[in-house]
């Protein structure tokens, strides 16, 4: 996103948008970028912007994040700001017997309560670095970090909104996404009660397949929505969502971690799948006539 020119008298902005495929590295210029240039009044709403360009909030905010936000959040390294508030207890679906799910998990699996406080303490500091890296975020204890800080809020925009920011002006969007100091936006980032926060309150780290089965059965029984995070590289923040049970697969045990496993067809013939699903890979292989 590039604010190419602005006429102070008319308030008309010329905006140039470059679209870069998600597989291209953020710091590498893509050879197949597409370029869109258009004029729009700074007081125009984002709904008008979308109608002119066929954009969505995710694509607009995503482009802005990549270009402007990664090195703009130095406030995260200021302890007086980062520790300004402490999050309240989770409280999400406390009416459920979560101990029932815990009792069905393998010993190495874990179910934890999470909150904005985890996201703030574990994820904010990395984005104050000159070159933030997802590798430094993936193993954080709560498993909530995302490749860009603003992905922790709905529509990737910390400013509270009831309708996806469609009534916000282009001028407001540019002021929020450009890296000039913006105390108001900093306030939204540090507000643990911000209704736009899009963070899960329960995170399950499955270790084996039976943990996943138990989580899905529990969610089905109680009409819970599930979100799933593998490496957490989604640049639209699709790996997690508020009011969901997040399955973070970072600690999942790969089958046959030491090599190929031989399946004993005679021993497994006509047997039922074990409760912990430990023999499921072999049974599936045998069902496909592979041993």
């Amino acid at each position: 996103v590039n604010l190419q020119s602005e006429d102070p008298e008319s308030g008309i902005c010329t905006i140039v948008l470059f679209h870069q495929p998600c597989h291209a590295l953020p710091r590498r210029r893509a050879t197949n970028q597409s370029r869109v240039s258009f004029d729009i009044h700074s007081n125009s709403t984002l709904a008008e912007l979308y109608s002119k360009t066929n954009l969505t909030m995710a694509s607009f905010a995503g482009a802005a994040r990549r270009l402007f936000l990664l090195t703009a959040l130095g406030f995260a390294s200021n302890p007086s700001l980062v520790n300004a508030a402490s999050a309240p207890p989770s409280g999400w679906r406390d009416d459920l017997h979560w101990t029932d799910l815990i009792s069905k998990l393998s010993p190495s699996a874990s179910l934890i309560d999470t909150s904005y406080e985890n996201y703030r303490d574990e994820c904010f500091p990395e984005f104050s670095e000159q070159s933030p890296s997802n590798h430094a975020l993936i193993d954080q204890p709560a498993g909530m970090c995302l490749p860009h800080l603003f992905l922790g809020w709905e529509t990737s925009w910390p400013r509270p909104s009831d309708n996806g920011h469609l009534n916000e002006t282009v001028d407001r969007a540019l002021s929020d996404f450009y890296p000039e100091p913006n105390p108001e936006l900093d306030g939204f980032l540090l507000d643990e009660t911000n209704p736009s926060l899009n963070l899960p309150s329960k995170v399950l780290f499955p270790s084996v397949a039976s943990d996943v089965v138990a989580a899905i059965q529990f969610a089905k029984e109680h009409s819970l929505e599930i979100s799933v995070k593998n490496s957490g590289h989604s640049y639209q923040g699709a790996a997690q969502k508020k009011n969901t049970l997040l399955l973070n697969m970072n600690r999942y045990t790969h089958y046959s971690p030491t090599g190929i496993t031989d399946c004993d067809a005679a021993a497994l013939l006509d047997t039922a799948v074990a409760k912990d699903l430990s023999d499921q890979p072999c049974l599936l292989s045998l069902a496909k006539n592979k041993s």
Side-chain angles (χ1 to χ4, degrees), residues 45-50 55-61 153-169 172-173 176-177 195-196 242:
T45 66
L46 292 185
E48 295 171 305
L49 171 66
Y50 304 152
L55 286 173
T56 64
M57 187 63 238
S59 61
F60 181 79
W153 288 262
E154 292 177 319
T155 65
S156 306
W157 196 345
R159 182 176 293 276
S161 172
D162 295 328
N163 67 347
H165 303 283
L166 290 177
N167 292 334
E168 296 287 4
T169 64
R172 172 64 62 77
D176 277 356
F177 287 120
S196 291
K242 68 179 178 183

Side-chain angles (χ1 to χ4, degrees), residues 86-150:
S86 58
S90 164
W92 180 68
R93 296 309 307 266
D94 278 348
D95 57 307
L96 301 181
H97 296 290
W98 291 96
T99 52
D100 292 346
L101 172 57
I102 295 173
S103 67
K104 297 175 182 177
L105 299 177
S106 64
S108 52
S110 61
L111 175 68
I112 62 173
D113 289 323
T114 54
S115 68
Y116 164 81
E117 185 176 17
N118 298 112
Y119 192 72
R120 182 195 69 201
D121 294 346
E122 298 175 13
C123 312
F124 275 36
E126 181 63 21
F127 290 98
S128 67
E129 299 294 330
Q130 185 173 1
S131 300
S133 168
N134 201 50
H135 294 289
L137 299 170
I138 193 171
D139 290 323
Q140 292 298 326
M144 298 172 67
C145 296
L146 295 161
H148 293 299
L149 185 64
F150 278 26

